[in-house]
Amino acid sequence: MEIQHEDYMLQFIRENNTIICSGSFRLTGSEYVPIMDMLNSIADEKTDFLNINLTALKFLNSSGINTLCRFIMRLRKNEVTKVLVIGSNEFPWQKKSLANFKKLLPSLELEFK
Amino acid sequence: MSELNANSELSFDEMKAELVSLRYQVRELEQDKADLETVLEMTTEHSDTVEEELHSKAEEAVRESERRLRMIIEATPVAVVVTELATSIIVFVNAIAGPLAGSVPEELVGQKMTSFYVNPEERASLVSLLGKEGHVDHHEVEFIRKDGFKFWVDISMRYIDFDEKPCILAAWNDISHLKELNKAARRFVPREYLSFLQKDSLVDIHLGDHVTDEMTVMFSDLRSFTAISEDMSPQQNFDFVNSYLGRVSPMVRKNGGFIVKYLGDGIMAIFPGDADSGVQAGIDKLNQVNIYNAERIEQRRLPIEIGIGVNTGHMMVGMIGEAGRMQGDAFSDDVNLTSRVEALTKYYSVSFIITAATKNSLVDSSGYSIRFLDKVRVKGKQKTLTLYEVYDADLIESRLLKQKTHQRYESAMQHFYAQEFSEAQLLLLDVLQQNPKDKVAWRHLMAVTKCIENGVDDNWTGTTIMTSK
């Protein structure tokens, strides 16, 4: 499963339950619909655990963070609690913004590379 | 009502279940509310973080671009000066600009740029042009250094934000040397000649460039040169010719003409405007010679004599030679003829001859002292030329006598061509009685007398046939 675009990419690698989100997301609200749909379908698979690799995610706008928040909420609802988010030290915004995911899913773990 | 009834029919257990469900829904709603608040908070915080990051990135980019700009300006081989728009105060100069402005860059910063302009108003007009057009490209401006040294620059200007202030970036090249070279080059191909050939620069001149039109051409020559130069050293010869040419040449320019070429001590000049400018230039040249002669006589030197021939007709003026060595020239039958006409000044002992073509092209011929000279056929040509003498620049005594005898002289010539030789002879004798130095009248008197003595045949036209050039 994947969505590819010139500026960004969303990939789900089922073998290791890993979502890879990379590039720059500068979409408007409605443009996130296919992305939200893909994330929802991953959440609904109710896997035992899930890795979210954001190490190559350069930029995410407000609608983008909103989409990810709703995805985390969906995971919580589906009781997928073993979630590891991997961020990058290269993009300072990630340190601040990704930490907030824990407010939505306290069991979520964060790791920065 | 029916719904109320239905509700009223709920049992206690059902109501309890309903309450539990409601409590559960309220908890869910509270969770949703808390989630939404968290999401809102996160989104806002994320937005602030990203905005802050972008802002610092943008600031860094601006600083980086200024650093790069400074690097480029420092490395550029032209002088660059940045001045504040509001105050004209120099805020930055590169290493090249310093020495050119006669100072080290650090000392220039803080000074007003206006003080470097020989004419400070020029800066104001350049700045206003920059305001109007958004750019100023390649304007020539004269600068002055603090030590008084002046130099020319080719300046271009742009608006620029420098240290977050609206500024003007001016880049300039010292073109003093180029200007000197141009000035030197213009002595070989004058500006008037360039504009006549519709060229902006010497660089644009090519072999074969030409203009064909009706123009007035002038040939002039120093008549007594051989006699005068005999006892002179080569240096004295050059000095003498240059002294003469230096006096008469400006008269050509003054009257809107340009010198196509020098032929030794001779001058070939073209007047693209009306024929009057050519005639006036001839008169001005002769007046200059009169002044020069007065000085020469005072210095116990021989006076000089020059001959001028002016003709109007179709001619080609352009560049001839080969790619590596070219010069201006003019040619056509009318040009060749003018050279012959000039040579005839010696034959008739007059200073200034114009052709009928020139006389008829004059806007106002009554403004000049012009009298009929002769009808001639020059060697190698079939056409008869009618020539006139311009005597405005004769010395005052001669001019007054020619004016006094003008009517009689003209009517003598009319009688002559009407083959009324006795009437012509009487009138010419009368002219000569008043002005015995009138060599033209003498020549005509001899011709008239010859006709009376020998008679004329039926083909007689009175045209003087020149057997030599």
Side-chain angles (χ1 to χ4, degrees):
Chain A
M1 236 192 306
E2 69 172 36
I3 293 176
Q4 268 208 352
H5 185 269
E6 198 181 321
D7 297 329
Y8 56 85
M9 193 177 73
L10 181 65
Q11 240 182 328
F12 179 55
I13 302 163
R14 194 160 275 111
E15 289 75 45
N16 53 9
N17 289 347
T18 300
I19 294 174
I20 301 173
C21 207
S22 60
S24 291
F25 288 74
R26 298 162 191 266
L27 314 178
T28 57
S30 61
E31 287 172 326
Y32 277 105
V33 171
I35 291 166
M36 191 74 250
D37 288 348
M38 179 174 154
L39 290 172
N40 281 344
S41 72
I42 297 167
D44 292 347
E45 284 189 24
K46 299 183 181 177
T47 51
D48 297 338
F49 68 93
L50 195 65
N51 295 330
I52 306 174
N53 186 336
L54 303 179
T55 50
L57 181 61
K58 286 185 197 160
F59 181 84
L60 191 66
N61 64 5
S62 300
S63 297
I65 200 86
N66 192 286
T67 306
L68 281 188
C69 284
R70 287 198 285 173
F71 170 60
I72 302 289
M73 280 153 64
R74 183 89 162 208
L75 289 176
R76 189 188 65 202
K77 195 182 158 199
N78 289 343
E79 293 174 352
V80 182
T81 51
K82 216 176 163 195
V83 177
L84 174 66
V85 174
I86 310 155
S88 164
N89 289 320
E90 203 188 324
F91 310 115
W93 65 267
Q94 287 194 1
K95 263 259 154 63
K96 270 193 171 182
S97 293
L98 302 187
N100 282 331
F101 285 156
K102 283 176 90 71
K103 289 182 188 166
L104 295 170
L105 183 64
S107 64
L108 180 143
E109 281 183 42
L110 274 169
E111 191 184 305
F112 285 96
K113 286 183 175 171
Chain B
M1 241 351 233
S2 61
E3 204 179 317
L4 191 68
N5 289 338
N7 282 344
S8 62
E9 283 165 18
L10 283 175
S11 68
F12 180 73
D13 284 344
E14 280 171 334
M15 281 175 71
K16 214 170 140 186
E18 191 78 2
L19 189 64
V20 169
S21 158
L22 275 172
R23 274 191 187 146
Y24 180 75
Q25 280 179 32
V26 166
R27 258 204 308 277
E28 269 202 333
L29 280 172
E30 274 172 353
Q31 176 67 54
D32 282 354
K33 183 176 169 265
D35 282 350
L36 279 173
E37 276 172 359
T38 309
V39 171
L40 182 66
E41 194 186 315
M42 280 178 66
T43 310
T44 312
E45 207 175 299
H46 174 77
S47 179
D48 288 348
T49 310
V50 170
E51 192 183 306
E52 176 59 32
E53 206 177 300
L54 287 177
H55 189 73
S56 14
K57 268 187 185 163
E59 276 185 338
E60 179 51 35
V62 169
R63 278 195 294 274
E64 179 58 26
S65 114
E66 274 195 11
R67 266 197 298 276
R68 281 188 189 169
L69 177 70
R70 277 175 196 257
M71 268 168 61
I72 293 168
I73 291 176
E74 281 300 348
T76 189
V78 297
V80 176
V81 174
V82 179
T83 49
E84 263 184 29
L85 181 61
T87 59
S88 292
I89 283 174
I90 299 173
V91 291
F92 178 81
V93 292
N94 70 350
I96 301 272
L100 277 177
S103 195
V104 289
E106 296 74 37
E107 279 177 17
L108 289 171
V109 171
Q111 294 189 37
K112 272 208 163 200
M113 192 58 218
T114 332
S115 64
F116 288 93
Y117 282 69
V118 169
N119 176 10
E121 282 166 18
E122 242 174 327
R123 172 159 168 101
S125 65
L126 283 180
V127 171
S128 113
L129 183 69
L130 181 65
K132 242 183 265 163
E133 310 264 323
H135 59 92
V136 167
D137 289 315
H138 302 297
H139 278 252
E140 290 186 3
V141 168
E142 197 176 14
F143 276 2
I144 182 162
R145 293 199 320 215
K146 287 277 172 282
D147 61 8
F149 178 79
K150 289 180 184 173
F151 59 106
W152 282 90
V153 299
D154 171 284
I155 193 166
S156 297
M157 288 175 163
R158 293 288 186 281
Y159 284 124
I160 186 179
D161 274 338
F162 200 84
D163 288 339
E164 291 173 21
K165 278 184 196 148
C167 290
I168 294 173
L169 181 141
W172 35 270
N173 259 327
D174 186 352
I175 52 161
S176 301
H177 185 59
L178 197 69
K179 272 200 106 75
E180 285 296 312
L181 270 178
N182 267 336
K183 209 167 139 192
R186 272 206 295 279
R187 294 190 294 203
F188 293 95
V189 181
R191 193 202 299 271
E192 296 82 358
Y193 196 56
L194 276 183
S195 56
F196 174 74
L197 291 174
Q198 293 167 351
K199 303 286 175 186
D200 292 329
S201 149
L202 256 185
V203 181
D204 303 327
I205 290 271
H206 299 291
L207 203 61
D209 287 341
H210 69 279
V211 169
T212 306
D213 206 350
E214 188 174 284
M215 290 173 256
T216 296
V217 61
M218 169 195 281
F219 277 83
S220 66
D221 211 356
L222 203 51
R223 278 224 303 262
S224 43
F225 181 59
T226 321
I228 292 171
S229 65
E230 243 170 17
D231 300 326
M232 289 192 220
S233 71
Q235 186 60 55
Q236 283 171 325
N237 254 306
F238 267 97
D239 292 347
F240 165 68
V241 171
N242 288 336
S243 156
Y244 155 70
L245 292 175
R247 284 160 189 261
V248 297
S249 301
M251 301 303 118
V252 172
R253 277 197 295 280
K254 188 182 129 191
N255 287 288
F258 55 85
I259 292 165
V260 177
K261 60 178 175 180
Y262 287 107
L263 309 132
D265 57 80
I267 298 173
M268 176 188 190
I270 292 285
F271 297 85
D274 52 41
D276 298 57
S277 51
V279 171
Q280 191 55 52
I283 295 167
D284 289 348
K285 272 166 95 168
L286 287 164
N287 281 331
Q288 283 299 314
V289 169
N290 290 341
I291 296 168
Y292 185 41
N293 277 341
E295 288 170 20
R296 286 181 67 85
I297 288 165
E298 220 168 80
Q299 293 159 357
R300 294 170 186 277
R301 289 184 182 161
L302 279 173
I304 62 164
E305 275 178 49
I306 69 165
I308 298 175
V310 168
N311 185 21
T312 302
H314 250 82
M315 54 200 74
M316 293 171 281
V317 180
M319 301 306 293
I320 61 151
E322 46 102 11
R325 170 76 177 92
M326 48 181 130
Q327 66 173 38
D329 209 344
F331 36 82
S332 78
D333 260 7
D334 283 311
V335 174
N336 297 339
L337 213 57
T338 315
S339 159
R340 306 277 187 85
V341 168
E342 184 267 312
L344 289 177
T345 56
K346 203 170 182 177
Y347 177 82
Y348 289 103
S349 299
V350 295
S351 321
F352 191 177
I353 301 177
I354 63 173
T355 61
T358 297
K359 183 176 177 282
N360 297 336
S361 304
L362 288 172
V363 177
D364 178 18
S365 64
S366 68
Y368 304 100
S369 301
I370 297 173
R371 68 175 189 176
F372 172 83
L373 181 63
D374 204 357
K375 288 181 181 177
V376 297
R377 195 187 299 158
V378 296
K379 193 171 189 268
K381 304 277 173 192
Q382 286 306 308
K383 217 170 84 182
T384 299
L385 270 179
T386 304
L387 302 178
Y388 294 87
E389 178 196 1
V390 181
Y391 60 91
D392 287 82
D394 277 19
L395 292 177
I396 185 131
E397 188 195 357
S398 160
R399 191 168 74 240
L400 290 175
L401 285 171
K402 279 180 184 172
Q403 271 164 6
K404 199 176 165 191
T405 57
H406 193 101
Q407 284 300 334
R408 280 173 180 269
Y409 168 84
E410 292 286 350
S411 95
M413 294 321 292
Q414 278 164 17
H415 282 297
F416 173 65
Y417 289 109
Q419 300 190 17
E420 295 154 3
F421 300 121
S422 305
E423 288 86 340
Q425 191 181 43
L426 275 175
L427 284 164
L428 284 168
L429 281 169
D430 191 26
V431 167
L432 283 163
Q433 205 172 13
Q434 294 183 63
N435 185 11
K437 288 181 183 168
D438 190 339
K439 289 183 181 170
V440 176
W442 275 114
R443 187 173 283 282
H444 289 313
L445 180 66
M446 279 161 67
V448 169
T449 309
K450 207 169 156 191
C451 291
I452 293 170
E453 282 172 4
N454 303 338
V456 293
D457 57 32
D458 292 346
N459 299 327
W460 184 89
T461 58
T463 302
T464 308
I465 314 287
M466 295 293 163
T467 49
S468 63
K469 278 189 181 176

